[in-house]
Amino acid sequence: MTVLRTTPESEATGLTAKIYDDDVQSLGYVTTHTKTMAVNPEAYEAFEALLGTITADMDLRRYELVTLAAAAAIGSTHCRLAHGRKALKTIPEAELLLIARDFRNAGLPPAEVAMMEYAEKLSSNAAEMTKADGLRLREHGFSDKEIMDITLAAAARNYLSRSVLALGVELDRPPTLSSELQDALLASMETRRA
């Protein structure tokens, strides 16, 4: 549990109340990571604006695949579950189960595997990245803008995931996410830690 004192929903005002309401409108409840990040509501809003700019021209499927790969590399169960739920808007659950278990062997097109591997490496060992990593994406047909968007989406996930982990935020389990998909998303995290 986080060491920060978060604002209870009944006491939220101003920008914090707006941030909470956005969660209620989209999820039906306020997540623990939203409550924690809203301790500095201006920074949270700035992050959301940045993310909106990064993803404005990005395909939702691509964004969610990048996010899931980055979250796994970071060790963020919070983001794996949250984006597992969000990914269902564009990826059928049967396919998402395979991706969650092992994206390299889930029958994805080679370009999507390369993109996820790129996000994974950026999130686990960015100092070892070279020009070859970007060139590999280009070889799979990604434009310069798409490579930039993939990079920024993965880097943004690092910002939020690492903040949530550092602050010891309690894990939310999205109530609409099947237990099978939750298990697959979290089991892959356990495999990485082993």
Side-chain angles (χ1 to χ4, degrees):
M1 180 167 274
T2 185
V3 298
L4 303 180
R5 291 185 200 94
T6 61
T7 304
E9 292 173 59
S10 61
E11 296 175 21
T13 60
L15 186 53
T16 301
K18 179 198 171 296
I19 291 168
Y20 285 11
D21 187 55
D22 289 346
D23 259 20
V24 171
Q25 294 302 313
S26 65
L27 303 171
Y29 66 102
V30 182
T31 67
T32 55
H33 74 269
T34 295
K35 289 179 183 177
T36 302
M37 297 307 287
V39 168
N40 184 337
E42 293 80 12
Y44 183 79
E45 281 289 288
F47 170 76
E48 289 294 316
L50 174 63
L51 195 57
T53 301
I54 292 167
T55 61
D57 297 325
M58 194 174 189
D59 176 76
L60 179 61
R61 176 185 172 92
R62 183 175 293 172
Y63 170 70
E64 293 302 341
L65 290 174
V66 166
T67 298
L68 288 170
I74 296 162
S76 176
T77 53
H78 301 80
C79 291
R80 285 284 286 186
L81 290 178
H83 284 275
R85 184 193 58 76
K86 290 179 181 182
L88 289 171
K89 293 177 185 173
T90 187
I91 302 170
E93 184 166 347
E95 182 182 13
L96 191 54
L97 279 164
L98 295 173
I99 294 166
R101 290 178 181 132
D102 179 4
F103 72 85
R104 287 174 180 85
N105 295 301
L108 294 175
E112 288 184 343
V113 172
M115 175 186 72
M116 292 181 78
E117 288 176 339
Y118 181 91
E120 181 180 63
K121 186 173 180 181
L122 181 153
S123 303
S124 62
N125 200 1
E128 295 295 319
M129 295 190 81
T130 67
K131 184 177 179 179
D133 295 300
L135 289 175
R136 182 166 178 247
L137 290 183
R138 182 170 288 135
E139 290 167 3
H140 283 283
F142 293 103
S143 69
D144 287 349
K145 173 76 164 61
E146 290 170 326
I147 294 168
M148 176 60 84
D149 290 346
I150 291 165
T151 302
L152 292 175
R157 182 56 35 212
N158 274 259
Y159 165 81
L160 186 65
S161 292
R162 291 179 190 281
S163 297
V164 167
L165 289 169
L167 294 168
V169 175
E170 184 179 333
L171 182 64
D172 276 316
R173 291 183 177 263
T176 58
L177 202 59
S178 75
S179 59
E180 184 180 12
L181 185 52
Q182 285 187 45
D183 290 346
L185 289 161
L186 296 177
S188 65
M189 302 294 295
E190 294 304 318
T191 302
R192 293 187 66 79
R193 289 186 189 127

